[in-house]
Amino acid sequence: MRDLDELFSKLAESSFRRRFRLREPELSYFRRRGMETIRDHAAEFIEKRLAPANPAKDGKQTPYRNHPVFVAQHATGTCCRSCLQKWHNIPKGRELNVAEKQYIVAVLERWLLTENSCYQ
Ligand SMILES: [Zn+2]
């Protein structure tokens, strides 16, 4: 897990990560449902798709669109266990712990709120 300010400045230097932006329909979905609900969705996705020691289809488990959290995951390197290891120093091959899951939700929330405020 990394310091969030440091992480977000590194993400801003990545031309690949920077390409992911919240667009329609993800933006209006985010606004309609609100941060609290979206945070619950994020926690569910993490639990099902990232938390197991060996997640199903790891590396391909996160779609590129249709939910704001999916876009946020690609933008923040929280899309699969390899990216979690590379960007967040969270080792592969073991189950995520509670602190790590909360950290990922915090990363996603920060990205989503920043992204949302860019379009006001
Ligand atoms: Zn990935």
Side-chain angles (χ1 to χ4, degrees):
M1 295 185 275
R2 296 173 74 172
D3 172 74
L4 291 196
D5 288 335
E6 183 200 285
L7 169 70
F8 277 83
S9 70
K10 283 288 170 202
L11 287 168
E13 289 169 17
S14 163
S15 54
F16 179 74
R17 299 295 159 186
R18 257 198 341 247
R19 286 204 322 236
F20 296 98
R21 305 299 308 269
L22 221 47
R23 297 196 171 91
E24 298 299 340
E26 294 94 3
L27 188 62
S28 50
Y29 182 84
F30 176 82
R31 290 176 171 173
R32 202 163 63 239
R33 305 302 299 270
M35 190 65 242
E36 247 174 81
T37 301
I38 299 296
R39 196 190 299 119
D40 290 344
H41 294 176
E44 277 169 43
F45 294 152
I46 292 163
E47 197 62 50
K48 288 200 187 111
R49 298 165 183 260
L50 288 175
N54 294 294
K57 294 192 237 160
D58 195 25
K60 296 191 184 99
Q61 71 267 60
T62 305
Y64 284 92
R65 51 183 67 84
N66 291 330
H67 195 290
V69 169
F70 295 152
V71 181
Q73 285 184 267
H74 288 289
T76 58
T78 58
C79 39
C80 67
R81 294 301 296 260
S82 296
C83 294
L84 277 177
Q85 184 163 278
K86 179 181 171 208
W87 280 94
H88 304 278
N89 305 319
I90 297 175
K92 294 169 82 165
R94 64 153 174 79
E95 217 175 304
L96 297 179
N97 62 40
V98 172
E100 288 162 346
K101 290 186 259 190
Q102 287 169 346
Y103 162 85
I104 297 167
V105 172
V107 168
L108 293 168
E109 177 166 356
R110 174 162 164 165
W111 187 86
L112 286 163
L113 290 175
T114 306
E115 190 67 7
N116 181 51
S117 66
C118 290
Y119 294 99
Q120 269 162 8

